[in-house]
Amino acid sequence: MTESFQTPSATSIAAGVRDGSQSAADVIDAAIGAVEAREGELNAYNLVLADDARTAAAAIDQKIAAGETVGPLAGVPVAIKDNMCTTGVATTCSSKILEGWVPPYSATVVERLAAAGAVMVGKTNLDEFAMGSSTENSAFGPSKNPHDITKVPGGSSGGSAATVGAGAVPVSLGSDTGGSIRQPASLCGVVGVKPTYGMVSRYGLIAFASSLDQIGPFTTTVADAALVLEVIGGHDPRDSTSIPEPMPNLTEALGKGVDGLRIGIISELSGDPSLGSVEGIAPDVAARAAAAAAALEAAGASIEHVSIPSSVHGLPAYYLIAPAEASSNLARYDGVRYGLRSDGPNALAMNAASRTEGFGEEVKRRIMLGTYALTSGYYDAYYGQAQKVRTLMIDEFNAHYQNFDLLLSPTSPTTAFELDAKTADPMTMYVNDVCTIPSNLTGQPAMSVPFGVGDDGMPVGVQVLAPMMGEATMFRAAAVLEEAARV
Ligand code: GLN
């Protein structure tokens, strides 16, 4: 029998630490204990930082004893996806190519969490360079779903989702390029947010596809997600794509309900063939999304189906744009500047040998696809065409947000699948992202909220989509869904 844990929320931990009713040291001890108790079966972490975490917790307790102010996440254990840089702590992207590399600086999000009093307990496993939907593409072996270890936790932020889903820590960070926060959140039964592109700094996030990548939180409650996003979000001059505007107040929005909001169910992602839905959305998942719509309607929102034809073209456009950007971003791993170096008779051979040995199969596939899509002669037909589709999607979604405050869909087409079920055929893996990719291409925010279980008893997440900087409204609906899912 595996032990089960249920971490208190970040909000309640921070309140308890700040008012002195519990020590950060005790909170961190409990979290490390829970992490270690399940790590053998989950493989959620590339590195557990037990000593560093205990030192950081002691420092927070000392500050409190000295009457100093501590931040809104005082003593809250957090886990960080291992593609975010951490000063003096190895950062691997779950790739052999970064073997032995230790970043000399921290990502802005890591600094902001620490400044708010959060305590990093470890670096979590991912699909190599965040390419995948199951965390099976890791050089360090797959992570497992905390609710059934024969199944995947989703990906690419599978480790971050698994450790929060296991109840070991209340907060982790992931990155979402095509769904890598929302899909694993859905499969592990936790809240996961992909913020508006530019809301959260990408400084120190190792780039996969720079025009799509965005960092966001995994939490057990909607209120915690709002709190963490308020801490990590907001303008950062070190990221040139960071939006120079103040963060919306998300915590304040939580209790406002959805009365009077207009919410559209995306027909193409509804699972209903008579509405023109794509194939592959499982009936039990579609039923949960429909139940979520009914709950929002009961809370006063008006619900309508809305056809967004371009949404189904997101998948092919993404699998050209993301690999194209990746092929460029990953050119820097040449055996000279970072990590692994394999021998060769000259520099070129050394470069090739390092990349051959250092990159896994999926990363190589993406580099080849992306390089091909960017080749002169094919550029217009592939990359250029995909960019046109992207513009079309932005226009179409923006037009619909004139009539709707929010949109709704399932997060993942199915519940968690068995390990190895989709590794043989990359296409079957890619279609997992059909519901999540549109928001990455448009830059708009979206989040997954747990909403019951499927026929197999595994968690199902519902996706709430919002227009640019529409997080406050998005969180209103998420809070209503969370409440409705409780009964
Ligand atoms: N599953 C998608 C991919 O493999 C998305 C990954 C991500 O969001 N990082 O590219």
Side-chain angles (χ1 to χ4, degrees):
M1 252 284 286
T2 57
E3 264 184 282
S4 73
F5 299 94
Q6 193 42 265
T7 172
S9 71
T11 309
S12 71
I13 289 173
V17 168
R18 287 154 64 104
D19 73 17
S21 57
Q22 60 185 334
S23 69
D26 286 348
V27 172
I28 295 306
D29 272 342
I32 302 264
V35 164
E36 283 174 348
R38 295 222 51 193
E39 187 52 14
E41 52 179 14
L42 295 183
N43 194 32
Y45 288 83
N46 289 343
L47 189 61
V48 177
L49 295 158
D51 293 343
D52 290 357
R54 290 194 169 104
T55 306
I60 287 166
D61 287 332
Q62 267 167 18
K63 271 190 169 182
I64 291 170
E68 289 173 42
T69 48
V70 286
L73 293 174
V76 173
V78 300
I80 305 290
K81 187 178 184 180
D82 201 16
N83 61 351
M84 297 178 209
C85 291
T86 41
T87 311
V89 175
T91 298
T92 69
C93 280
S94 289
S95 180
K96 275 208 302 202
I97 207 143
L98 280 172
E99 206 170 75
W101 182 66
V102 178
Y105 66 100
S106 282
T108 295
V109 290
V110 170
E111 283 181 352
R112 288 188 181 177
L113 283 176
V119 176
M120 177 168 67
V121 299
K123 303 291 298 282
T124 58
N125 197 8
L126 62 146
D127 285 298
E128 185 178 1
F129 282 100
M131 297 174 191
S133 306
S134 66
T135 317
E136 292 168 293
N137 296 335
S138 166
F140 308 123
S143 298
K144 316 283 171 58
N145 192 300
H147 305 289
D148 178 348
I149 58 167
T150 67
K151 296 188 168 158
V152 302
S156 66
S157 317
S160 284
T163 190
V164 175
V169 298
V171 177
S172 63
L173 292 188
S175 62
D176 190 313
T177 305
S180 281
I181 294 173
R182 291 160 287 158
Q183 183 257 14
S186 174
L187 271 45
C188 290
V190 300
V191 177
V193 187
K194 197 290 281 184
T196 298
Y197 183 81
M199 177 176 275
V200 178
S201 171
R202 291 182 297 112
Y203 179 80
L205 169 68
I206 296 178
F208 162 12
S210 311
S211 77
L212 303 161
D213 299 339
Q214 196 55 196
I215 293 171
F218 290 95
T219 57
T220 61
T221 69
V222 171
D224 277 3
L227 177 63
V228 174
L229 194 47
E230 284 172 347
V231 166
I232 63 172
H235 185 238
D236 177 12
R238 294 186 294 187
D239 171 0
S240 61
T241 60
S242 168
I243 298 173
E245 276 176 40
M247 271 299 285
N249 190 325
L250 306 176
T251 308
E252 209 170 67
L254 290 173
K256 290 192 174 158
V258 293
D259 196 21
L261 292 187
R262 300 156 306 167
I263 302 176
I265 306 174
I266 304 176
S267 297
E268 284 78 3
L269 304 176
S270 66
D272 183 344
S274 72
L275 294 170
S277 176
V278 292
E279 284 172 30
I281 298 188
D284 57 340
V285 169
R288 294 313 301 156
L296 291 165
E297 192 164 35
S302 68
I303 304 284
E304 244 178 85
H305 278 99
V306 51
S307 171
I308 309 184
S310 68
S311 57
V312 301
H313 302 308
L315 200 67
Y318 171 88
Y319 277 99
L320 289 165
I321 293 170
E325 293 186 21
S327 69
S328 164
N329 275 324
L330 272 58
R332 72 189 69 169
Y333 306 104
D334 54 6
V336 176
R337 287 169 284 189
Y338 304 93
L340 185 87
R341 173 177 298 187
S342 309
D343 282 339
N346 55 48
L348 212 57
M350 181 278 289
N351 294 156
S354 302
R355 288 167 71 82
T356 302
E357 213 189 299
F359 287 137
E361 213 176 291
E362 183 61 26
V363 173
K364 286 177 185 157
R365 183 178 296 120
R366 304 286 179 109
I367 291 172
M368 287 191 283
L369 281 170
T371 307
Y372 185 77
L374 291 174
T375 312
S376 76
Y378 294 105
Y379 184 99
D380 287 342
Y382 293 111
Y383 183 74
Q385 194 69 11
Q387 291 290 20
K388 286 182 189 160
V389 171
R390 185 175 190 176
T391 302
L392 188 74
M393 289 180 74
I394 293 170
D395 290 347
E396 229 177 79
F397 273 83
N398 280 340
H400 286 295
Y401 282 125
Q402 300 299 310
N403 302 321
F404 292 98
D405 298 293
L406 298 169
L407 297 169
L408 198 71
S409 80
T411 305
S412 164
T414 66
T415 55
F417 43 93
E418 302 282 328
L419 287 153
D420 264 338
K422 303 190 181 188
T423 41
D425 176 8
M427 288 299 282
T428 61
M429 194 65 89
Y430 297 170
V431 298
N432 282 295
D433 309 326
V434 65
C435 301
T436 47
I437 276 173
S439 304
N440 298 88
L441 289 170
T442 62
Q444 293 157 352
M447 69 191 284
S448 183
V449 185
F451 205 73
V453 294
D455 292 345
D456 55 2
M458 294 296 281
V460 174
V462 168
Q463 182 177 226
V464 184
L465 302 86
M468 292 303 265
M469 296 298 276
E471 272 84 351
T473 316
M474 181 173 85
F475 272 89
R476 286 166 62 186
V480 166
L481 289 176
E482 177 179 55
E483 194 53 42
R486 254 196 271 276
V487 289

